[in-house]
Amino acid sequence: YKGAGADRTLVFALNGRIAGIGSADKFKRNDDAYYYALLAPTLFAPTGNRVEAFAVTGPADAPLLTPVRIGN
């Protein structure tokens, strides 16, 4: 996503529940980033899964989750 910066922590929600943690890494050629995470297969519904990503900022005892656009 745009302006992610290197080593940004992301959490991923699956069907409205936090299901994984990942990170964003900056592309060398521009300010965009790619992100990745592993989500347990057992957390997926048979159909109609909704995945959302959130950037994590703030202190560990009061994190702030900011939505991140995923996909095109």
Side-chain angles (χ1 to χ4, degrees), residues 20-63:
I21 189 167
S23 57
D25 294 314
K26 194 172 184 178
F27 284 123
K28 292 182 181 186
R29 68 176 182 264
N30 59 33
D31 207 24
D32 291 348
Y34 64 93
Y35 42 81
Y36 53 89
L38 295 174
L39 306 179
T42 57
L43 299 176
F44 286 84
T47 61
N49 291 286
R50 186 186 72 212
V51 177
E52 300 170 280
F54 299 89
V56 181
T57 58
D61 62 345

Side-chain angles (χ1 to χ4, degrees), residues 9-26:
T9 299
L10 301 175
V11 294
F12 291 81
L14 181 61
N15 301 320
R17 301 181 89 182
I18 299 298
I21 189 167
S23 57
D25 294 314
K26 194 172 184 178

